[in-house]
Amino acid sequence: MLYDKARIFVQAGGGGDGCLSFRREAHVPHGGPDGGDGGHGGDVVVVCDDSLRDLQSFKRRAHYKAKRAGHGEGDLRHGAGGPELAIRVPPGTQIASWDGSTHDLVVPGQRVVVARGGSGGRGNKRFATSTRQAPRLAEHGLPGEEGWIDLRLKLLADVGLVGLPNAGKSSLLARMTRAAPKVAAYPFTTLEPVLGTLEGAERQLVIADIPGLIEGASEGAGLGHDFLAHVERTRLLVHVLDIAPVDGSDPVDNHATIEAELRAHDLRLAELPRLLALSKADLVAPEEAERTARAWHERLGDEVDVFVTSSATGLGLEELARELGRRVPLSGPAHPADAIALDDVPAEDHRVFRPAAGRNFSVERTGDGAFRVAGDGVERLLMRHDLDNDEALAHVESRLRRMGVISALEAQGFEPGDDVEIAGVLFELHPG
Ligand SMILES: Nc1nc2c(ncn2[C@@H]2O[C@H](COP(=O)(O)OP(=O)(O)OP(=O)(O)O)[C@@H](O)[C@H]2O)c(=O)[nH]1
Ligand SMILES: [Mg+2]
């Protein structure tokens, strides 16, 4: 079974706390502040690793947590940063993050930070000013980002083979490449995509054989539905069509069924260039095969090249291979991991940036002498400080004043001593 989907929870490390400390020396009765800063929490990154083939490693593990950073210490020692936690995924993995951002990991070594570590708190040394020489406050480190991310593997191939079950796709792949997919005289032999490499004169071409599609595949019937995603990124599709189906079905109908499923799955798929490979030509007389090919040529027009092939005799396969080499642009990189047709956009362009957490806050009156303040910046300020510490509280109050929160409260009737709730913390505010 091919593991091509996974859902994992990632949690970046928390930042270390800043330190509250004063220098102690034998001859200096009142040493200055020397509390160091906390370190930055470990990020969680996802890294593209071409030694991996699928997402199987995520079957047993769903939680990934980076380490928190070290706390600051006296003597101006800063806390060590938390080590980054790297999660390895195969080329072709797409990431959809809880925050709405998406990334494509295509090139080996490519990396994306999916959860940022929390920043460290500042030590008391940083709060020293000419008027406040002995600050008795230090900041807490902030928690790291956390959330669920969805991983989805979409194989990277240059060419995709599509067709009804039993059409002869796997036989074609086996004959043209060194891949050895299972071949049998019944439908649904191929249960998951198989990749094969065609050794061309100048480069390799990666061909994907996907399980047979049936009517309704794009809505989930049969096996093909899930696998259609794997041909989304190919540059070219080869529609494999049985020239003489044993079940007596009409090849014209069969052809239409597959084309309709491709359109229903994704219009971009339907727009990919196509070749038609009439398969199993050894089962009909050569003249009949040629006649059929001409009929298809008339039906489909000049856009679609038609090949008469047989995996049993090798008929037409060299021509087909040559045409594939010609049609897949040479500019394309030889490494399959780079073979992206539809998403030739650097991963960072896929990023949906969240608005910078800023000075935005809201103030709401919740009762008589009671208020609630909400907003990222304000909430972070509170998380940073120990509100039982008078000096820290005074610092928070002066920051709130500078951020305009106090005047916004006053505009709503706030008076010193009223209760204010910020980020679930209720406290009496006495702005100095
Ligand atoms: N005579 C003849 N039989 C062929 C040829 N190609 C495939 N077959 C037979 O057709 C049957 C199906 O072939 P597969 O290659 O497994 O077909 P498939 O399209 O991969 O089928 P699924 O994986 O079930 O979708 C097998 O019995 C093959 O031996 C051919 O060129 N000539
Ligand atoms: Mg097959």
Side-chain angles (χ1 to χ4, degrees):
M1 146 127 207
L2 180 80
Y3 293 95
D4 57 2
K5 285 190 204 106
R7 190 169 160 73
I8 60 175
F9 189 81
V10 295
Q11 188 177 22
D17 295 339
C19 173
L20 201 172
S21 158
F22 294 94
R23 215 163 39 232
R24 276 185 225 198
E25 286 167 48
H27 313 292
V28 188
H30 300 290
D34 72 349
D37 301 338
H40 200 274
D43 294 335
V44 180
V45 299
V46 178
V47 182
C48 181
D49 179 343
D50 68 348
S51 69
L52 298 174
R53 285 289 157 259
D54 65 13
L55 302 175
Q56 179 156 20
S57 61
F58 299 100
K59 206 177 106 188
R60 261 171 275 126
R61 185 172 169 199
H63 284 76
Y64 294 82
K65 189 174 169 182
K67 291 216 168 67
R68 66 167 305 127
H71 300 311
E73 292 176 38
D75 206 14
L76 280 181
R77 272 175 308 195
H78 299 314
E84 143 190 308
L85 177 71
I87 299 175
R88 307 196 160 272
V89 298
T93 303
Q94 291 185 338
I95 304 170
S97 172
W98 75 92
D99 67 4
S101 62
T102 60
H103 305 270
D104 246 343
L105 286 175
V106 169
V107 185
Q110 197 184 342
R111 45 199 287 128
V112 167
V113 177
V114 289
R116 284 177 201 284
S119 58
R122 287 174 293 176
N124 68 333
K125 165 74 179 169
R126 307 262 235 118
F127 290 91
T129 61
S130 55
T131 53
R132 178 165 61 182
Q133 293 181 355
R136 304 199 152 272
L137 81 163
E139 288 175 328
H140 293 310
L142 291 181
E145 293 178 336
E146 60 174 48
W148 288 93
I149 62 177
D150 285 306
L151 303 176
R152 181 84 208 261
L153 175 64
K154 295 187 179 176
L155 296 178
L156 299 166
D158 299 299
V159 176
L161 301 182
V162 294
L164 285 180
N166 218 41
K169 302 176 294 298
S170 301
S171 303
L172 210 57
L173 187 78
R175 184 81 194 220
M176 294 177 80
T177 73
R178 243 176 290 165
K182 188 173 168 196
V183 168
Y186 49 83
F188 301 117
T189 306
T190 304
L191 299 177
E192 60 190 42
V194 181
L195 296 184
T197 306
L198 182 66
E199 306 288 342
E202 289 168 81
R203 55 167 298 203
Q204 296 182 327
L205 274 183
V206 177
I207 304 179
D209 169 25
I210 65 162
L213 302 174
I214 56 171
E215 193 170 348
S218 59
E219 279 135 40
L223 299 163
H225 167 64
D226 272 358
F227 299 119
L228 271 174
H230 292 299
V231 286
E232 270 172 26
R233 307 201 213 204
T234 59
R235 297 164 189 271
L236 176 70
L237 296 180
V238 175
H239 187 151
V240 181
L241 186 68
D242 197 332
I243 202 169
V246 281
D247 62 6
S249 58
D250 181 355
V252 175
D253 294 342
N254 295 344
H255 181 267
T257 299
I258 296 299
E259 293 295 326
E261 290 311 320
L262 295 177
R263 274 195 303 277
H265 174 78
D266 190 333
L267 276 181
R268 294 184 306 173
L269 256 192
E271 279 162 13
L272 282 175
R274 285 279 198 301
L275 300 180
L276 180 66
L278 298 169
S279 62
K280 312 187 191 178
D282 56 287
L283 296 180
V284 301
E287 312 77 57
E288 192 192 332
E290 281 313 318
R291 218 173 23 248
T292 311
R294 273 198 303 279
W296 276 104
H297 184 72
E298 267 162 39
R299 210 170 280 129
L300 299 175
D302 286 336
E303 295 256 307
V304 181
D305 283 326
V306 180
F307 291 82
V308 174
T309 71
S310 165
S311 299
T313 66
L315 174 74
L317 299 186
E318 262 173 46
E319 291 90 327
L320 179 60
R322 221 175 299 126
E323 184 62 13
L324 294 180
R326 204 179 65 72
R327 295 283 286 267
V328 176
L330 237 184
S331 60
H335 197 288
D338 299 339
I340 33 171
L342 300 161
D343 293 307
D344 267 329
V345 188
E348 279 307 305
D349 282 3
H350 285 245
R351 177 105 208 196
V352 178
F353 286 98
R354 285 162 288 165
R359 307 206 158 262
N360 301 332
F361 58 83
S362 64
V363 170
E364 177 196 357
R365 191 186 173 98
T366 53
D368 207 21
F371 300 84
R372 183 183 296 132
V373 180
D376 275 357
V378 211
E379 288 173 16
R380 276 214 302 272
L381 174 66
L382 250 77
M383 271 194 262
R384 283 269 190 220
H385 291 281
D386 173 6
L387 302 175
D388 293 333
N389 170 334
D390 288 342
E391 203 163 318
L393 189 56
H395 172 74
V396 167
E397 288 166 355
S398 87
R399 287 293 307 278
L400 289 176
R401 182 173 290 287
R402 259 186 289 151
M403 290 166 81
V405 175
I406 304 293
S407 49
L409 281 166
E410 284 166 353
Q412 301 230 16
F414 166 85
E415 287 176 12
D418 282 351
D419 284 338
V420 176
E421 184 197 318
I422 301 180
V425 185
L426 191 68
F427 59 103
E428 255 179 50
L429 199 57
H430 296 273

